[in-house]
Amino acid sequence: MNEIQEMLEREFLNKEGFIKDNKIKIDYISPNNAQVSMPIETRHLNPSNIVHGGIIYALADSAMGILARSEGRNVVTVSAQINYLRPAKTQILKAHVKCNKSGKNIAFYETEILDENETVLAICTGTFYYIDNRQF
């Protein structure tokens, strides 16, 4: 585990809130990509017994935010687009996120949401705004 991952785990995973409540964890992180994952529980399912689309989006947004935050600056989501490709009938969701472009004020990320067999379930893109210039 590197220094950035340790800081992010303290900042995101161990604080009360959505990420901790949903047991999202950082599997790996590097300067331009990361993987985060979360176990699926009954409360994450819709009435058809598949993972609710809002949970899939929330994991994608969280993954992009974690990678964006790894640059040492605070960010907020400006916009996001998600395409659901197939139903999620899985025990774990993984989010592979990469940074396509990071500028002075705006960054653009792309995330694939996968099941435990590495089948792509959804693709999400997001634009993030740096709300400060603070570095670690």
Side-chain angles (χ1 to χ4, degrees):
M1 181 180 311
N2 61 40
E3 180 181 325
I4 292 172
Q5 186 171 344
E6 288 176 7
M7 182 279 302
L8 291 169
E9 288 190 358
R10 279 192 312 274
E11 196 170 289
F12 285 103
L13 279 55
N14 296 325
K15 285 188 176 178
E16 295 300 320
F18 182 84
I19 290 175
K20 183 176 181 179
D21 290 346
N22 285 285
K23 302 174 186 159
I24 294 173
K25 68 176 188 134
I26 300 170
D27 298 323
Y28 68 82
I29 192 161
S30 66
N32 290 312
N33 63 71
Q35 177 179 295
V36 302
S37 59
M38 71 178 282
I40 298 303
E41 301 172 0
T42 303
R43 65 192 176 107
H44 297 131
L45 304 179
N46 68 20
S48 299
N49 279 330
I50 59 175
V51 180
H52 191 283
I55 294 297
I56 294 170
Y57 170 76
L59 179 62
D61 185 61
S62 296
M64 292 184 289
I66 288 169
L67 183 57
R69 181 69 182 99
S70 75
E71 293 189 23
R73 298 163 66 190
N74 289 310
V75 297
V76 293
T77 306
V78 173
S79 66
Q81 167 70 39
I82 190 163
N83 293 300
Y84 299 96
L85 307 176
R86 54 187 52 87
K89 297 179 180 181
T90 185
Q91 298 299 309
I92 190 164
L93 284 178
K94 300 176 190 177
H96 291 176
V97 58
K98 67 178 180 176
C99 178
N100 288 336
K101 173 77 169 99
S102 181
K104 180 180 175 187
N105 297 310
I106 298 285
F108 183 77
Y109 294 87
E110 183 176 338
T111 301
E112 291 184 334
I113 300 296
L114 304 104
D115 65 14
E116 63 263 3
N117 297 316
E118 302 294 316
T119 302
V120 178
L121 306 172
I123 297 172
C124 185
T125 57
T127 303
F128 289 76
Y129 178 75
Y130 294 110
I131 57 174
D132 65 22
N133 290 319
R134 182 180 69 140
Q135 300 293 315
F136 296 119

